[in-house]
Amino acid sequence: MSLFSRMLGAAALAAVAVLSGCAGVNTTQSGSIGVNRTQYMSSMVPEAQLVQEAGQQYSQIIDEARKQKALDRDANLVARVNAITKRLVAQVGVFRPDAASWDWEVHVLSVDEVNAWCMPGGKMAVYTGLVNQIKPTDAELAAIMGHEMAHALREHARERVSQQMVTNIGLSVLAIATGSSAASDLGGQLSNVMFTLPNSRTHETEADRMGVELAARAGYDPRAAVTLWQKMGAAAGGKAPPEFMSTHPSAETRINELQQASAQVMPLYEAAIKK
């Protein structure tokens, strides 16, 4: 059999592996904002296993920050972040009831980078560079944290790891035909999607919309997501936005979408502040 024929056969096997290895799911309820895209998750990336791996990586990050005396140094900022997180977590059940019982945790890391993130299972961090450079109001900080929490609720990391894993199956099958080899591990894949690769436009849009609703339900003005992005654009000075907020369309497009989303959930915000 020729090399070309072997590669065609390998490609066919890879396609079968991809199709059989993923199942269509919807990790969250749609909420008022209407996020209901079907997602495809690989059976090779169980949710529980990814959450466990995330917890281990988070512990390592926190331990390292503690050793470097970069963990929760500003008591007032820590209290502020915790208060906002508590109000947002109280609203996660609207998207997925099981998330209310997640072991949510947040820390402030003294890092100059403009960044914040939320791992699978609810392990979060906010960098002081974000607060010092953007100077967000509480509502703007809620928009950031709600956005990051939405990534976890929607299991975007698991979805992206699934995509990488099934792609690696195809590459491995092709490697057999070409005589090369390839291997990967779940922990490395999670680290890659969490801290190296930018989020896709679809994931960013979903996180924007869900984050706006979480903030509104928690009693934070959802329009702050718009002013936040305007500050992000100003801070970037025409350069690319921070990695954790990366996206393909222009800032203007994103602002327009956030304006529409915030208007959609304004009744939720108005109801929340009347309670």
Side-chain angles (χ1 to χ4, degrees):
M1 182 183 292
S2 68
L3 175 61
F4 180 70
S5 297
R6 292 202 308 272
M7 291 184 68
L8 282 178
L13 288 173
V16 171
V18 169
L19 291 174
S20 63
C22 288
V25 299
N26 206 328
T27 56
T28 63
Q29 298 172 6
S30 64
S32 295
I33 206 69
V35 173
N36 52 19
R37 174 182 61 90
T38 298
Q39 301 166 270
Y40 291 90
M41 305 292 189
S42 171
S43 58
M44 298 181 296
V45 190
E47 179 188 2
Q49 186 176 351
L50 199 66
V51 169
Q52 181 181 19
E53 178 62 39
Q56 292 172 353
Q57 291 192 15
Y58 188 73
S59 294
Q60 293 172 1
I61 292 170
I62 297 306
D63 287 346
E64 185 62 27
R66 184 179 291 109
K67 291 176 183 177
Q68 295 179 0
K69 300 187 184 304
L71 180 67
D72 297 334
R73 293 172 54 181
D74 184 335
N76 289 332
L77 178 56
V78 170
R80 179 186 176 199
V81 168
N82 273 297
I84 294 171
T85 300
K86 183 178 180 179
R87 286 171 60 174
L88 291 170
V89 168
Q91 308 304 319
V92 298
V94 71
F95 288 110
R96 52 183 302 170
D98 67 304
S101 61
W102 285 3
D103 187 18
W104 294 92
E105 184 177 352
V106 64
H107 289 282
V108 177
L109 306 184
S110 294
V111 181
D112 289 338
E113 182 182 348
V114 177
N115 202 1
W117 41 262
C118 183
M119 284 184 155
K123 302 299 187 183
M124 305 175 65
V126 175
Y127 291 3
T128 54
L130 169 65
V131 178
N132 295 336
Q133 294 183 47
I134 303 301
K135 302 187 186 314
T137 64
D138 281 2
E140 289 168 344
L141 192 51
I144 294 171
M145 297 174 70
H147 172 102
E148 295 305 312
M149 290 168 64
H151 279 308
L153 294 170
R154 195 70 175 146
E155 296 186 46
H156 285 154
R158 182 181 170 214
E159 186 176 10
R160 294 167 71 205
V161 169
S162 293
Q163 292 167 353
Q164 287 199 358
M165 294 286 269
V166 295
T167 297
N168 286 343
I169 289 177
L171 292 175
S172 296
V173 173
L174 287 173
I176 294 173
T178 59
S180 63
S181 62
S184 62
D185 63 276
L186 185 59
Q189 294 286 353
L190 175 61
S191 180
N192 198 31
V193 302
M194 282 295 304
F195 303 113
T196 304
L197 300 175
N199 288 323
S200 71
R201 173 56 183 164
T202 298
H203 289 176
E204 284 294 287
T205 298
E206 290 180 347
D208 276 349
R209 292 174 63 80
M210 290 172 63
V212 163
E213 180 167 343
L214 285 172
R217 289 181 179 276
Y220 294 105
D221 190 334
R223 294 169 294 189
V226 176
T227 60
L228 166 69
W229 186 250
Q230 291 169 337
K231 286 184 177 181
M232 288 287 189
K239 299 178 182 179
E243 185 77 4
F244 82 111
M245 296 287 279
S246 62
T247 185
H248 300 299
S250 66
E252 289 77 13
T253 297
R254 191 169 196 168
I255 287 172
N256 288 336
E257 291 176 349
L258 285 169
Q259 287 173 332
Q260 294 174 19
S262 60
Q264 187 175 344
V265 299
M266 274 300 290
L268 299 176
Y269 166 63
E270 291 167 351
I273 61 177
K274 289 179 181 178
K275 292 181 180 178

